[in-house]
Amino acid sequence: MHPRYWILLIFLLLPHAAAAQTGTCESALGEAYLDAGNVRARILNNGALFWRGSPHVYEIGGANAIFASTILVGGLIDNQLRTSASRYGPWEFWAGPLDDEGNPPVDCKPYDQIWEITRDDIIDFQQDSLISNNLKSWPWQLGAPVVDGDGHPNNYNLEGGDLPELLGDQRLWWIMNDRGNIHESSKTTPIGLEVHASAHAFDHPDFVGNSTFYSYTLINKNKAPLKQAFFGMYQDFDLGYFADDYVGSDSLLHLSYAYNGDDDDEGSRGYGKAPPAVGYTFLETILAPADSVDNDRDGIIDEPDEKLGAYAFVRHYGGGTPNGDPVFGSDYYRYMQGRWKNNVALYHGYNGWWEPDYFGLHKPTRFSFSGDPVKQAFWTKLNYDEQGSIIPPSDQSAVFSTGPFELAPMDTVEIRFAIVWARGSDHLDSVTELKKDVRAIRGTAEVFYAPLQITPKPQDLPAPVSHVLGFDQNFPNPFTQITTLRYSLPQAMQVRLVVCDLLGREVTILVDAHQDAGIHTAAFDAGDLPAGVYLARIELDFLRFTKRMVLLK
């Protein structure tokens, strides 16, 4: 036998790893409601958010602010486009993990749920040794995060001090994969992704309570790298009444948003007068390469640990035109790249469609309606050309993305974003308030993803002093540099007044002394502290009070 045939025979007899298979899982049906703060949101475990068939729920301020969102991922494996993308189904994520070979579970049903942990779960356990069902069922074996308390990081031992990692006052966690079945929407081969997803909210009365926070950790369980990849969100904004909305983007704030077309959001589902604005902002994305580009748009190029920011925001239109609804995987991928479906660039002006641009009058862009609607400057729905022409408001859908990035086999990336809602004195002032709140959140973004430190419930006030002891809200609040705290003491006592960040870490000590009975004030100068939420905490002989303060820059 010729030597070449021996070589071929030996190759055929050698063991080879089997290619990962697409599964036969049924559609995921797990859901839960995120409602610790001022938002009530329907969270789903199939790659969608807020809608999977009636009802759609992202309710705040007396109406729904968003109809639906879906998570989009696309990239190249062996130069072939792979996507996991859908608008309204069939969905392209299924419940459960992938094994080390990239195969989905034979049966996804055991994983078809969303797990929850709350502040009350942890407080009741710490104070009264009550183990809730949420604590019992926390899926640490699947990768749900745990705060290690017993010195053994690979277990979950409540009695030893381990606890679920709580973000905010309520956290939801779920696990998905994109190989559970065929991709009927995008018509592409699955990527081979396992996704650990999380949503959390804070029980705050201010803009923090008007926001919800999300994290998606992507794990590439394909044997080949995922290249030129993008992560995106399909956004169907129905801000109250659906047919009178506008959208915009702010690349410096890594923000896409919707606002009302006039100052009256009519209809039974509308917000009425002075309607709000709502937006998505990327808070943490992928480590940027050293590419001589200011990827995070902070004015510094290639600084250590620079992260990618928002890459594109494309407002698309109905129908099958090149700027119409995405249908196939390539459509979603082009939109995440900031291009039309036929791979033509967006251009400033009108609806972004000026091809061919014979006269070179319009510059290419990746961000639709990136001007300032409040000042009606640059390019917005309220002034789409040099004559200040107005595009009539309507139902608004878009794709918002970050990237590009590469994900090697078994590598992970975590992508964080927040949805922020704000209401001003009119529909345009709501945009101003929205951007102000986004700046405050972005200024201390890491605080909103730090595990919450639980402190004991405050003691009841002793009856003799409950009617005379006072710790007033700081004034002004919000503040930009200096604010004043006022408190009254019914008798002489030791007083400690400190300012902390949201993790409970002391920023400064304002008072630490024995003080006489009466009214006292203390000024807090924020100095060079970044914008965000801070806690003023007063500790007395017999109790502790806390006030939330909002620093704006």
Side-chain angles (χ1 to χ4, degrees), residues 235-284:
Q235 304 168 332
D236 185 346
F237 292 103
D238 286 2
L239 188 60
Y241 177 57
F242 74 95
D244 62 350
D245 294 342
Y246 283 147
V247 292
S249 62
D250 188 324
S251 62
L252 296 180
L253 288 176
H254 306 273
L255 171 70
S256 66
Y257 62 94
Y259 59 105
N260 209 67
D262 57 32
D263 204 35
D264 185 11
D265 188 33
E266 62 269 25
S268 59
R269 298 184 179 181
Y271 278 101
K273 298 293 184 180
V278 67
Y280 296 61
T281 180
F282 282 111
L283 298 178
E284 177 93 2

Side-chain angles (χ1 to χ4, degrees), residues 188-500:
T188 69
T189 303
I191 297 171
L193 287 177
E194 179 176 306
V195 180
H196 297 187
S198 173
H200 66 277
F202 294 83
D203 181 16
H204 279 218
D206 51 23
F207 67 88
V208 178
N210 294 339
S211 305
T212 52
F213 300 83
Y214 304 83
S215 169
Y216 287 81
T217 299
L218 312 181
I219 307 171
N220 179 16
K221 290 200 170 179
N222 198 302
K223 297 300 182 181
L226 177 66
K227 298 183 177 182
Q228 299 179 42
F230 290 86
F231 174 94
M233 290 167 279
Y234 182 78
Q235 304 168 332
D236 185 346
F237 292 103
D238 286 2
L239 188 60
Y241 177 57
F242 74 95
D244 62 350
D245 294 342
Y246 283 147
V247 292
S249 62
D250 188 324
S251 62
L252 296 180
L253 288 176
H254 306 273
L255 171 70
S256 66
Y257 62 94
Y259 59 105
N260 209 67
D262 57 32
D263 204 35
D264 185 11
D265 188 33
E266 62 269 25
S268 59
R269 298 184 179 181
Y271 278 101
K273 298 293 184 180
V278 67
Y280 296 61
T281 180
F282 282 111
L283 298 178
E284 177 93 2
T285 59
I286 300 99
L287 193 66
D291 54 3
S292 300
V293 175
D294 183 12
N295 291 284
D296 57 6
R297 304 182 188 93
D298 63 352
I300 306 172
I301 294 175
D302 289 347
E303 71 268 27
D305 297 324
E306 181 184 25
K307 300 293 180 70
L308 299 176
Y311 187 82
F313 173 72
V314 179
R315 171 10 181 166
H316 68 81
Y317 302 86
T321 61
N323 60 352
D325 294 329
V327 177
F328 302 108
S330 58
D331 300 339
Y332 291 100
Y333 189 66
R334 293 301 183 204
Y335 281 156
M336 286 191 283
Q337 290 179 309
R339 304 180 71 82
W340 296 118
K341 293 192 296 182
N342 60 355
N343 203 25
V344 170
L346 276 71
Y347 288 87
H348 288 293
Y350 190 49
N351 61 11
W353 180 257
W354 293 95
E355 201 279 328
D357 184 22
Y358 293 113
F359 303 103
L361 299 176
H362 304 283
K363 296 181 179 180
T365 182
R366 297 194 305 264
F367 290 90
S368 297
F369 305 107
S370 52
D372 184 348
V374 178
K375 298 178 181 178
Q376 296 185 27
F378 198 45
W379 175 34
T380 77
K381 292 270 189 174
L382 295 172
N383 58 303
Y384 72 75
D385 60 15
E386 291 79 2
Q387 287 72 45
S389 304
I390 295 175
I391 298 176
S394 61
D395 193 9
Q396 304 287 320
S397 297
V399 171
F400 189 40
S401 65
T402 184
F405 59 93
E406 181 172 328
L407 197 55
M410 299 306 294
D411 270 3
T412 68
V413 294
E414 182 183 14
I415 296 165
R416 298 171 175 176
F417 62 90
I419 300 177
V420 186
W421 180 96
R423 194 167 197 169
S425 59
D426 59 47
H427 69 124
L428 294 180
D429 187 51
S430 292
V431 175
T432 300
E433 291 298 312
L434 174 69
K435 292 187 177 184
K436 183 190 301 182
D437 292 349
V438 168
R439 288 188 188 95
I441 288 173
R442 292 185 57 79
T444 54
E446 70 282 355
V447 169
F448 298 105
Y449 286 85
L452 202 64
Q453 295 182 353
I454 302 297
T455 56
K457 294 178 181 178
Q459 298 173 239
D460 292 334
L461 295 179
V465 299
S466 61
H467 65 288
V468 292
L469 178 67
F471 183 37
D472 297 339
Q473 185 65 53
N474 63 301
F475 180 82
N477 190 46
F479 66 104
T480 56
Q481 186 64 45
I482 298 175
T483 190
T484 300
L485 293 150
R486 180 179 181 273
Y487 55 96
S488 59
L489 304 177
Q491 60 194 46
M493 62 181 67
Q494 184 69 24
V495 176
R496 192 169 189 271
L497 178 60
V498 299
V499 175
C500 305

